[in-house]
Amino acid sequence: MPDALPEPGTPAAFAAALRRRERLVGYWSVLDSPVSTERIARLGYDYVALDAQHGLIEYSGLLASLTAIDTKGSTAVGLVRAEANDPAPIGRALDAGAAGVIVPLIDTAQDAADAVAAVRYPPHGVRSYGPMRAALRIGPDPAEAHAQTVVLAMIETAQGLANVTDICATPGLDGIYIGPSDLRIALGGASSTDPALDEPFERALDTIRRAAEQAGVAAGIHTADGATAARRLAQGFTFATVSSDLTHLEQIARHHLADARTAGGQA
Protein backbone atom coordinates (compact mmCIF):
# COMPACT_ATOMS: atom_id res chain seq x y z
CA MET A 1 0.00 0.00 0.00
CA PRO A 2 1.23 3.56 -0.67
CA ASP A 3 2.25 5.66 2.30
CA ALA A 4 -0.66 7.53 3.85
CA LEU A 5 -0.78 11.27 3.21
CA PRO A 6 -0.04 13.43 6.25
CA GLU A 7 -3.05 14.84 8.06
CA PRO A 8 -3.95 18.38 6.89
CA GLY A 9 -2.93 21.14 9.26
CA THR A 10 0.07 19.23 10.58
CA PRO A 11 3.75 20.16 10.23
CA ALA A 12 4.27 17.14 7.97
CA ALA A 13 1.52 18.24 5.58
CA PHE A 14 2.68 21.85 5.60
CA ALA A 15 6.31 20.95 4.93
CA ALA A 16 5.31 18.67 2.07
CA ALA A 17 3.07 21.31 0.49
CA LEU A 18 5.65 24.07 0.84
CA ARG A 19 8.37 21.89 -0.71
CA ARG A 20 6.04 21.03 -3.57
CA ARG A 21 5.68 24.78 -4.12
CA GLU A 22 1.93 24.66 -3.57
CA ARG A 23 0.11 27.93 -2.97
CA LEU A 24 -0.16 28.70 0.73
CA VAL A 25 -1.58 31.69 2.58
CA GLY A 26 -0.56 32.71 6.06
CA TYR A 27 -1.11 35.40 8.66
CA TRP A 28 1.38 37.48 10.65
CA SER A 29 1.22 37.95 14.41
CA VAL A 30 3.18 40.49 16.44
CA LEU A 31 1.00 40.56 19.57
CA ASP A 32 1.52 38.44 22.66
CA SER A 33 -2.15 37.42 22.62
CA PRO A 34 -2.56 33.63 22.45
CA VAL A 35 -6.37 33.78 22.61
CA SER A 36 -6.63 35.97 19.51
CA THR A 37 -3.93 33.93 17.78
CA GLU A 38 -5.97 30.81 18.52
CA ARG A 39 -9.00 32.32 16.80
CA ILE A 40 -6.96 33.33 13.75
CA ALA A 41 -5.57 29.79 13.46
CA ARG A 42 -9.14 28.46 13.01
CA LEU A 43 -10.02 30.73 10.07
CA GLY A 44 -8.46 28.64 7.33
CA TYR A 45 -4.94 30.03 7.01
CA ASP A 46 -2.18 27.53 6.22
CA TYR A 47 0.20 29.03 8.76
CA VAL A 48 0.45 31.75 11.36
CA ALA A 49 3.88 33.37 11.63
CA LEU A 50 4.90 34.72 15.03
CA ASP A 51 7.33 37.62 14.86
CA ALA A 52 10.09 37.19 17.43
CA GLN A 53 12.30 39.77 15.69
CA HIS A 54 10.21 42.94 15.61
CA GLY A 55 7.08 41.65 17.34
CA LEU A 56 6.04 42.08 20.98
CA ILE A 57 6.35 38.40 21.91
CA GLU A 58 8.73 37.06 24.56
CA TYR A 59 9.53 33.36 24.86
CA SER A 60 6.63 32.54 27.19
CA GLY A 61 4.26 34.24 24.76
CA LEU A 62 5.86 32.42 21.84
CA LEU A 63 5.29 29.09 23.56
CA ALA A 64 1.70 29.96 24.47
CA SER A 65 0.90 31.18 20.96
CA LEU A 66 2.39 28.10 19.31
CA THR A 67 0.25 25.97 21.62
CA ALA A 68 -2.79 28.10 20.73
CA ILE A 69 -2.17 27.68 17.00
CA ASP A 70 -2.41 23.92 17.49
CA THR A 71 -5.92 24.26 18.96
CA LYS A 72 -8.81 22.00 17.97
CA GLY A 73 -10.17 23.16 14.64
CA SER A 74 -6.97 24.87 13.55
CA THR A 75 -5.95 24.59 9.91
CA ALA A 76 -2.62 26.32 10.51
CA VAL A 77 0.85 25.48 11.67
CA GLY A 78 2.98 27.91 13.62
CA LEU A 79 6.07 29.46 12.10
CA VAL A 80 8.46 31.79 13.92
CA ARG A 81 10.51 34.62 12.51
CA ALA A 82 13.61 34.22 14.63
CA GLU A 83 15.19 37.27 16.18
CA ALA A 84 18.52 36.53 14.48
CA ASN A 85 20.41 33.96 12.43
CA ASP A 86 21.68 32.26 15.54
CA PRO A 87 21.32 28.63 16.69
CA ALA A 88 20.09 29.61 20.17
CA PRO A 89 16.86 31.51 19.34
CA ILE A 90 16.22 29.28 16.34
CA GLY A 91 16.56 26.15 18.46
CA ARG A 92 14.31 27.52 21.19
CA ALA A 93 11.57 28.34 18.68
CA LEU A 94 11.76 24.83 17.25
CA ASP A 95 11.86 23.21 20.69
CA ALA A 96 8.65 25.12 21.52
CA GLY A 97 6.92 23.42 18.60
CA ALA A 98 7.37 25.72 15.61
CA ALA A 99 6.92 23.94 12.29
CA GLY A 100 9.62 26.12 10.80
CA VAL A 101 11.58 29.32 11.09
CA ILE A 102 11.90 32.42 8.95
CA VAL A 103 15.47 33.64 9.38
CA PRO A 104 16.07 37.38 8.85
CA LEU A 105 18.86 39.26 7.09
CA ILE A 106 20.29 36.50 4.92
CA ASP A 107 22.96 38.18 2.79
CA THR A 108 25.02 35.29 1.45
CA ALA A 109 24.89 31.58 0.71
CA GLN A 110 26.97 31.06 3.86
CA ASP A 111 24.34 32.88 5.91
CA ALA A 112 21.72 30.57 4.41
CA ALA A 113 23.85 27.50 5.15
CA ASP A 114 24.23 28.68 8.75
CA ALA A 115 20.43 29.01 9.04
CA VAL A 116 19.92 25.50 7.68
CA ALA A 117 22.53 24.14 10.11
CA ALA A 118 20.74 25.80 13.05
CA VAL A 119 17.55 23.89 12.14
CA ARG A 120 19.11 20.45 11.55
CA TYR A 121 20.60 18.07 14.09
CA PRO A 122 24.13 16.65 13.67
CA PRO A 123 25.62 15.45 11.43
CA HIS A 124 23.54 17.68 9.13
CA GLY A 125 23.64 20.73 11.37
CA VAL A 126 24.28 22.10 14.84
CA ARG A 127 20.87 22.09 16.51
CA SER A 128 21.13 21.00 20.13
CA TYR A 129 18.79 18.18 21.15
CA GLY A 130 16.01 19.09 23.58
CA PRO A 131 12.72 19.16 21.66
CA MET A 132 10.49 19.76 24.71
CA ARG A 133 7.07 20.49 23.19
CA ALA A 134 8.22 19.71 19.64
CA ALA A 135 8.58 16.06 20.63
CA LEU A 136 4.79 15.92 21.05
CA ARG A 137 3.85 17.94 17.98
CA ILE A 138 6.46 16.78 15.47
CA GLY A 139 8.25 13.83 17.02
CA PRO A 140 11.36 13.24 19.10
CA ASP A 141 13.59 11.70 16.43
CA PRO A 142 15.95 13.86 14.35
CA ALA A 143 14.74 12.27 11.11
CA GLU A 144 11.14 13.29 11.93
CA ALA A 145 12.23 16.84 12.73
CA HIS A 146 14.21 17.12 9.51
CA ALA A 147 11.28 15.88 7.44
CA GLN A 148 8.66 18.09 9.10
CA THR A 149 10.51 21.32 9.91
CA VAL A 150 11.16 24.01 7.29
CA VAL A 151 13.75 26.76 7.10
CA LEU A 152 13.10 29.94 5.12
CA ALA A 153 15.69 32.62 4.39
CA MET A 154 14.65 36.27 4.30
CA ILE A 155 15.81 38.31 1.30
CA GLU A 156 15.60 41.92 2.40
CA THR A 157 18.95 43.59 1.71
CA ALA A 158 20.86 44.75 -1.35
CA GLN A 159 23.49 42.09 -0.66
CA GLY A 160 20.88 39.39 -0.29
CA LEU A 161 19.35 40.43 -3.60
CA ALA A 162 22.74 40.34 -5.32
CA ASN A 163 23.39 36.84 -3.96
CA VAL A 164 19.88 35.46 -4.29
CA THR A 165 20.75 32.79 -6.86
CA ASP A 166 23.43 31.30 -4.62
CA ILE A 167 21.21 31.63 -1.56
CA CYS A 168 18.35 29.75 -3.23
CA ALA A 169 20.77 26.97 -4.24
CA THR A 170 21.82 26.36 -0.61
CA PRO A 171 21.41 22.63 0.20
CA GLY A 172 18.63 22.02 2.71
CA LEU A 173 16.98 25.42 2.30
CA ASP A 174 13.22 25.04 1.83
CA GLY A 175 12.45 28.50 0.57
CA ILE A 176 12.99 32.23 0.64
CA TYR A 177 10.80 34.95 2.10
CA ILE A 178 10.85 38.59 1.02
CA GLY A 179 10.77 41.33 3.60
CA PRO A 180 9.33 44.10 1.39
CA SER A 181 9.81 46.99 3.81
CA ASP A 182 13.52 46.42 4.36
CA LEU A 183 14.07 45.54 0.71
CA ARG A 184 12.46 48.76 -0.54
CA ILE A 185 14.57 50.82 1.86
CA ALA A 186 17.69 48.87 0.85
CA LEU A 187 17.01 49.75 -2.77
CA GLY A 188 17.06 53.45 -1.86
CA GLY A 189 13.53 54.10 -0.67
CA ALA A 190 12.94 57.06 1.61
CA SER A 191 10.41 54.93 3.47
CA SER A 192 9.18 51.36 3.55
CA THR A 193 6.39 52.28 1.12
CA ASP A 194 8.17 54.90 -1.03
CA PRO A 195 6.30 54.83 -4.38
CA ALA A 196 9.34 56.25 -6.19
CA LEU A 197 10.91 52.79 -5.83
CA ASP A 198 7.99 50.87 -7.33
CA GLU A 199 9.71 49.93 -10.57
CA PRO A 200 13.09 48.75 -9.16
CA PHE A 201 11.23 47.04 -6.34
CA GLU A 202 9.07 45.05 -8.76
CA ARG A 203 12.15 44.11 -10.80
CA ALA A 204 13.82 42.88 -7.62
CA LEU A 205 10.78 40.78 -6.74
CA ASP A 206 10.86 39.21 -10.19
CA THR A 207 14.57 38.43 -9.84
CA ILE A 208 14.01 36.77 -6.47
CA ARG A 209 10.98 34.81 -7.60
CA ARG A 210 12.77 33.50 -10.67
CA ALA A 211 15.82 32.47 -8.64
CA ALA A 212 13.61 30.46 -6.29
CA GLU A 213 11.76 28.86 -9.19
CA GLN A 214 15.01 27.87 -10.87
CA ALA A 215 16.29 26.33 -7.64
CA GLY A 216 12.99 24.56 -7.01
CA VAL A 217 12.41 26.14 -3.60
CA ALA A 218 9.38 27.97 -2.25
CA ALA A 219 9.09 31.71 -2.80
CA GLY A 220 7.18 33.74 -0.24
CA ILE A 221 6.46 37.37 0.47
CA HIS A 222 4.83 39.51 3.13
CA THR A 223 1.86 41.56 1.93
CA ALA A 224 -0.29 44.37 3.28
CA ASP A 225 -3.66 42.72 2.58
CA GLY A 226 -5.42 39.77 1.03
CA ALA A 227 -5.81 41.39 -2.37
CA THR A 228 -2.07 41.98 -2.60
CA ALA A 229 -1.42 38.42 -1.46
CA ALA A 230 -3.66 37.14 -4.27
CA ARG A 231 -1.80 39.30 -6.78
CA ARG A 232 1.59 38.04 -5.65
CA LEU A 233 0.44 34.42 -5.81
CA ALA A 234 -0.85 35.05 -9.33
CA GLN A 235 2.59 36.39 -10.24
CA GLY A 236 4.17 33.08 -9.27
CA PHE A 237 4.98 33.37 -5.59
CA THR A 238 4.16 30.12 -3.85
CA PHE A 239 3.18 31.49 -0.44
CA ALA A 240 2.12 34.86 0.90
CA THR A 241 1.51 36.28 4.35
CA VAL A 242 -1.25 38.77 5.10
CA SER A 243 -0.62 41.91 7.16
CA SER A 244 -0.60 41.52 10.97
CA ASP A 245 -2.90 41.36 13.94
CA LEU A 246 -1.79 44.74 15.31
CA THR A 247 -2.35 46.46 11.95
CA HIS A 248 -5.80 44.95 11.57
CA LEU A 249 -6.77 45.83 15.14
CA GLU A 250 -5.96 49.48 14.46
CA GLN A 251 -7.64 49.49 11.05
CA ILE A 252 -10.92 48.02 12.25
CA ALA A 253 -11.00 50.24 15.35
CA ARG A 254 -10.50 53.32 13.16
CA HIS A 255 -13.21 52.14 10.76
CA HIS A 256 -15.78 51.61 13.51
CA LEU A 257 -14.93 54.94 15.13
CA ALA A 258 -15.49 56.73 11.82
CA ASP A 259 -18.81 54.95 11.37
CA ALA A 260 -19.93 55.82 14.88
CA ARG A 261 -18.99 59.48 14.62
CA THR A 262 -20.66 59.77 11.22
CA ALA A 263 -23.85 58.17 12.54
CA GLY A 264 -23.81 60.47 15.53
CA GLY A 265 -23.40 63.60 13.41
CA GLN A 266 -19.87 64.24 14.67
CA ALA A 267 -17.96 63.74 11.39
Side-chain angles (χ1 to χ4, degrees):
M1 294 180 61
D3 293 337
L5 293 175
E7 182 181 351
T10 62
F14 177 80
L18 183 120
R19 289 166 183 158
R20 289 194 300 264
R21 291 174 48 86
E22 294 181 9
R23 289 185 176 182
L24 302 168
V25 179
Y27 193 81
W28 198 258
S29 176
V30 302
L31 294 176
D32 186 351
S33 177
V35 173
S36 58
T37 302
E38 180 178 40
R39 287 178 175 254
I40 290 166
R42 294 168 55 90
L43 294 177
Y45 287 98
D46 298 301
Y47 62 92
V48 176
L50 306 173
D51 189 353
Q53 183 191 27
H54 293 303
L56 308 172
I57 310 173
E58 298 292 343
Y59 182 74
S60 60
L62 195 72
L63 175 62
S65 289
L66 286 169
T67 303
I69 291 168
D70 295 336
T71 185
K72 180 180 179 182
S74 170
T75 60
V77 300
L79 302 181
V80 172
R81 175 161 72 171
E83 61 188 80
N85 188 6
D86 181 284
I90 290 173
R92 293 194 77 191
L94 296 175
D95 290 346
V101 288
I102 301 169
V103 184
L105 298 171
I106 300 298
D107 290 333
T108 66
Q110 184 58 58
D111 288 343
D114 290 343
V116 172
V119 173
R120 309 299 181 211
Y121 292 112
H124 307 290
V126 298
R127 180 181 173 186
S128 178
Y129 187 81
M132 299 299 149
R133 183 172 175 271
L136 304 176
R137 177 65 170 154
I138 294 173
D141 295 333
E144 293 176 297
H146 294 168
Q148 299 181 44
T149 304
V150 301
V151 53
L152 305 168
M154 288 199 76
I155 306 297
E156 51 187 341
T157 66
Q159 190 177 4
L161 175 61
N163 293 321
V164 68
T165 298
D166 291 338
I167 290 170
C168 287
T170 301
L173 187 71
D174 295 299
I176 52 90
Y177 187 76
I178 296 172
S181 296
D182 276 315
L183 182 60
R184 190 177 289 258
I185 292 171
L187 292 173
S191 71
S192 63
T193 58
D194 186 354
L197 268 290
D198 282 352
E199 289 189 13
F201 179 74
E202 291 298 328
R203 288 196 298 269
L205 295 192
D206 189 60
T207 296
I208 296 167
R209 181 186 58 77
R210 290 179 183 275
E213 183 178 15
Q214 182 177 6
V217 299
I221 186 169
H222 194 93
T223 67
D225 50 55
T228 305
R231 179 163 59 89
R232 296 304 185 192
L233 291 170
Q235 289 174 339
F237 285 93
T238 64
F239 68 103
T241 312
V242 176
S243 196
S244 78
D245 45 11
L246 182 60
T247 298
H248 284 156
L249 177 64
E250 182 180 15
Q251 287 176 346
I252 198 67
R254 181 186 296 116
H255 171 76
H256 284 296
L257 176 62
D259 284 351
R261 294 206 184 281
T262 299
Q266 300 180 43

